[in-house]
Amino acid sequence: MRPSFNEQLIAPCGMNCGICSAYLAYAHDLRSKGIKATYCIGCIARDKKCAFVKKRCALLMNNEVRFCYECDDFPCDRLQKLDGGYRKKYDMSMIENLESIRDNGIEAFLAQQSEKYSCPTCGDAVCVHNGKCYNCRRVESWRG
C-alpha cells in the first residue's frame, strides 16, 4: 500500500502532515490499540493554516496565500527557525519542500514525498519524526 499523500496534507509552511507522528497516530488509531498518542488530522483539515507560522503571519490568517513561498518575505524568520530545527533533528527542510512545490508543482512534490517516505516493507508512510512505519512497525535506519 502506498501512502495517500495529498495536497490537503501539505501545510502552508511546507510540512507534509502525512509523515507527522501525530497524523500517523490518528490515521492508524493508536489509542484504540492501547497506545498513548497525540492525534492530529493535519493543519489544513483543522483550519490551522500553519500551526507554527500562522500566529505571526497576517497573510495566512487572512487566507491571502496557500503556501509560504507566495509571500514576499519568504522565508521569514519564523519559518527559518522552524526549518533549522527540522533540518537538524529530522533531516527534512520545509523551505526545500516549499521551493520544490513552487518550482516543480504539487503533484511532483507529492510523488517525491511518496518515494522518499514509503516503507520498503509494506508501502505505508514512514514517520519523519521517528523513522517508524505505524503500519508494520518497521524502523528506518536512515532517520537521524
Side-chain angles (χ1 to χ4, degrees):
M1 162 171 102
R2 298 300 272 177
S4 59
F5 297 139
N6 64 66
E7 186 174 348
Q8 291 300 306
L9 288 177
I10 309 302
C13 65
M15 175 65 186
N16 176 355
C17 293
I19 60 174
C20 172
S21 59
Y23 176 80
L24 290 168
Y26 159 77
H28 291 277
D29 195 15
L30 295 187
R31 290 182 192 160
S32 73
K33 298 171 184 157
I35 300 170
K36 284 187 177 182
T38 301
Y39 277 10
C40 179
I41 60 173
C43 290
I44 300 297
R46 293 183 310 149
D47 196 31
K48 288 290 185 185
K49 283 42 166 213
C50 183
F52 296 103
V53 179
K54 178 188 173 193
K55 295 173 197 163
R56 297 189 176 117
C57 179
L59 294 177
L60 285 174
M61 287 194 308
N62 295 320
N63 295 315
E64 294 177 35
V65 297
R66 167 63 176 93
F67 293 109
C68 289
Y69 71 78
E70 298 171 273
C71 176
D72 290 338
D73 289 333
F74 173 74
C76 66
D77 291 340
R78 183 74 175 139
L79 181 58
Q80 287 181 49
K81 183 176 180 180
L82 182 62
D83 183 77
Y86 265 78
R87 283 178 189 257
K88 184 177 180 180
K89 291 180 184 177
Y90 310 117
D91 193 29
M92 195 265 303
S93 170
M94 293 167 183
I95 292 172
E96 287 178 8
N97 288 353
L98 288 166
E99 290 170 342
S100 177
I101 294 167
R102 180 192 64 205
D103 298 344
N104 305 307
I106 191 71
E107 292 303 319
F109 174 73
L110 292 171
Q112 178 268 334
Q113 291 286 286
S114 182
E115 182 68 30
K116 182 174 182 179
Y117 293 104
S118 291
C119 175
T121 300
C122 72
D124 204 0
V126 173
C127 179
V128 69
H129 296 121
N130 57 31
K132 293 180 183 176
C133 174
Y134 285 48
N135 186 52
C136 72
R137 304 288 188 236
R138 178 186 171 114
V139 177
E140 288 298 301
S141 61
W142 51 264
R143 293 283 21 115

